[in-house]
Each structure stands twice: as C-alpha cells, then as structure tokens.
Amino acid sequence: MSEKQAGHAGGCHCGAVRYEISGEPQLVARCHCRQCQKASGAGHVMHLGVGRDQLRVEGQTSTHQYIADSGAPVQKHFCPSCGTNMFGEPEGMPGFMTVAAATLDDSSMYEAQVIIFTQSQQPWDREMPGLASFEGLPPRSG
C-alpha cells in the first residue's frame, strides 16, 4: 500500500487483512440498521460506499450472509483471525461495496452525508443535526 494513499488505506485489528480504496467514496453513510448494530456492538456504523473496482484487498476474509433490513441478502466480510467487520456486498447492488470507515488508518477526513435506517436507531445514539435521514435506504438516483 502506498504512503500517499494512507487516508484511503485500512485494515483489520490484527493486520492480517489490509485494503486500499482508489478514488473517493461514492457515499458516506451512517447506518443504524440492526445488523450493523449487532456486528459492531455500537449504535451505528459509518460506511464508505465504493465500487468493487475501487477496492484492493490483501489477505483473506471470511464471509457471512444475512438478510438486511432492506430485505436483500448481504455478504459481510470480516477478518477470520480477529473478527473485525470490514466490508459488505449488498446483492441488490452488484459491483457496490461498503467499507466500515472505522477500519481506515485515518477516517477523520470523512463525515456522514446521510443517515440511514433511523427506524432502528437506538434512543442513546442520537442523529447528527442537519443531515438527511431516512427510515430505510434513501431513494436511488440515476
């Protein structure tokens, strides 16, 4: 991984899986769905949405498939050694991946653009004022 791309590089807790994102994310979303809450042990997960071709991964991940709150199957990728939740592949959005922003070496440059699945938001994890919020997924453009 290149030093100049440090803001777009990341990895799991133990270092067995590393990745680099080329270009900018297509979306930065704060997700409050129950699956993200359970996978992270927190009230929400910040995701970077990227094209599959933007993501280069070194190391092997294990996968788990589940049905998302949207009703579509999602393949979740995690480190088989330390269990870090890293990537998601929603079946209903071919070629699109989510990257857990907290796994970036430096995630401080990203701010949420939208808040999704507020229908599952916990009362102790409040919204960020001024951001568009959706009970589920936002409408798709294009």
Side-chain angles (χ1 to χ4, degrees):
M1 308 283 163
S2 63
E3 287 296 318
K4 66 181 180 174
Q5 289 288 338
H8 292 84
C12 66
H13 188 60
C14 73
V17 179
R18 294 286 302 160
Y19 66 86
E20 191 170 282
I21 299 169
S22 62
E24 292 300 317
Q26 299 169 19
L27 175 72
V28 182
R30 181 175 158 164
C31 183
H32 288 271
C33 79
R34 288 296 294 149
Q35 286 78 16
C36 282
Q37 291 173 8
K38 288 181 181 247
S40 68
H44 68 275
V45 172
M46 185 88 122
H47 290 293
L48 305 180
V50 301
R52 178 66 186 99
D53 59 347
Q54 289 181 265
L55 185 65
R56 185 172 62 92
V57 179
E58 294 176 359
Q60 296 297 310
T61 60
S62 291
T63 60
H64 167 72
Q65 185 169 339
Y66 63 90
I67 302 300
D69 286 359
S70 67
V74 172
Q75 194 81 354
K76 188 62 79 176
H77 296 258
F78 59 94
C79 174
S81 297
C82 66
T84 301
N85 172 30
M86 302 195 65
F87 316 115
E89 280 187 273
E91 239 180 62
M93 301 172 79
F96 185 80
M97 306 242 342
T98 59
V99 177
T103 64
L104 286 162
D105 294 337
D106 178 9
S107 60
S108 65
M109 69 181 68
Y110 296 106
E111 292 186 27
Q113 298 166 330
V114 66
I115 302 170
I116 59 175
F117 290 101
T118 59
Q119 66 193 11
S120 306
Q121 187 172 3
Q122 299 301 318
W124 42 264
D125 191 18
R126 292 286 162 213
E127 289 182 27
M128 298 170 67
L131 287 181
S133 298
F134 300 90
E135 287 188 3
L137 288 171
R140 290 181 76 177
S141 61

